[in-house]
Amino acid sequence: MKKEANMAKDKQPTGMAHSALTIETTVTGNISAATDIRIDGTLQGNLDCQGKVIIGEQGRVQGNISAINAEIMGTVCGDISVAETLVLKSSSFLEGNITVSTLIIEPNAHLNGQCSMQTYQK
């Protein structure tokens, strides 16, 4: 009986579920994610996420990104719309316009585009 209880416990969600696009993987087309997503490969299309988007150092997105929060370490060629906080890390390269509530830019991050600050309405 204890073994069955432990198996059921092991199958319960941890709250840390997220999707990932790994290095050396290329997706052509749009992605819609209900939870957090990390991109370490290449996405040629738009990304719409209801959680946090992380673009790793090897990650590349050729398209627009829409998310609640985002952290960019890689390359994005497209517009980014973030409801709350966008972080551009020092290794990031962004060519596109930004619409965001809070913007954090580390030294040496590259941003070529316009930024529009907005107040997030919950």
Side-chain angles (χ1 to χ4, degrees):
M1 192 68 117
K2 281 187 177 181
K3 187 175 182 179
E4 289 176 15
N6 286 338
M7 287 175 61
K9 186 177 178 183
D10 291 341
K11 292 182 182 179
Q12 293 187 8
T14 63
M16 297 178 57
H18 69 274
S19 302
L21 183 63
T22 59
I23 296 174
E24 297 184 10
T25 301
T26 299
V27 171
T28 302
N30 298 331
I31 294 177
S32 180
T35 60
D36 299 351
I37 186 168
R38 181 179 176 103
I39 307 288
D40 288 307
T42 301
L43 170 61
Q44 297 173 345
N46 298 326
L47 173 57
D48 182 23
C49 179
Q50 299 304 309
K52 183 175 183 178
V53 170
I54 298 174
I55 309 298
E57 284 191 46
Q58 301 295 319
R60 297 184 54 83
V61 176
Q62 179 78 39
N64 299 328
I65 297 173
S66 176
I68 304 299
N69 291 292
E71 184 174 314
I72 312 298
M73 294 172 268
T75 301
V76 177
C77 294
D79 296 339
I80 298 179
S81 178
V82 174
E84 294 178 4
T85 303
L86 171 63
V87 179
L88 298 178
K89 296 291 197 174
S90 62
S91 58
S92 68
F93 180 86
L94 170 59
E95 184 148 338
N97 299 320
I98 297 171
T99 304
V100 67
S101 281
T102 303
L103 177 62
I104 300 169
I105 303 176
E106 290 186 354
N108 298 319
H110 294 273
L111 168 59
N112 295 317
Q114 296 180 353
C115 180
S116 174
M117 303 298 286
Q118 65 182 14
T119 302
Y120 178 61
Q121 301 290 326
K122 286 188 178 183

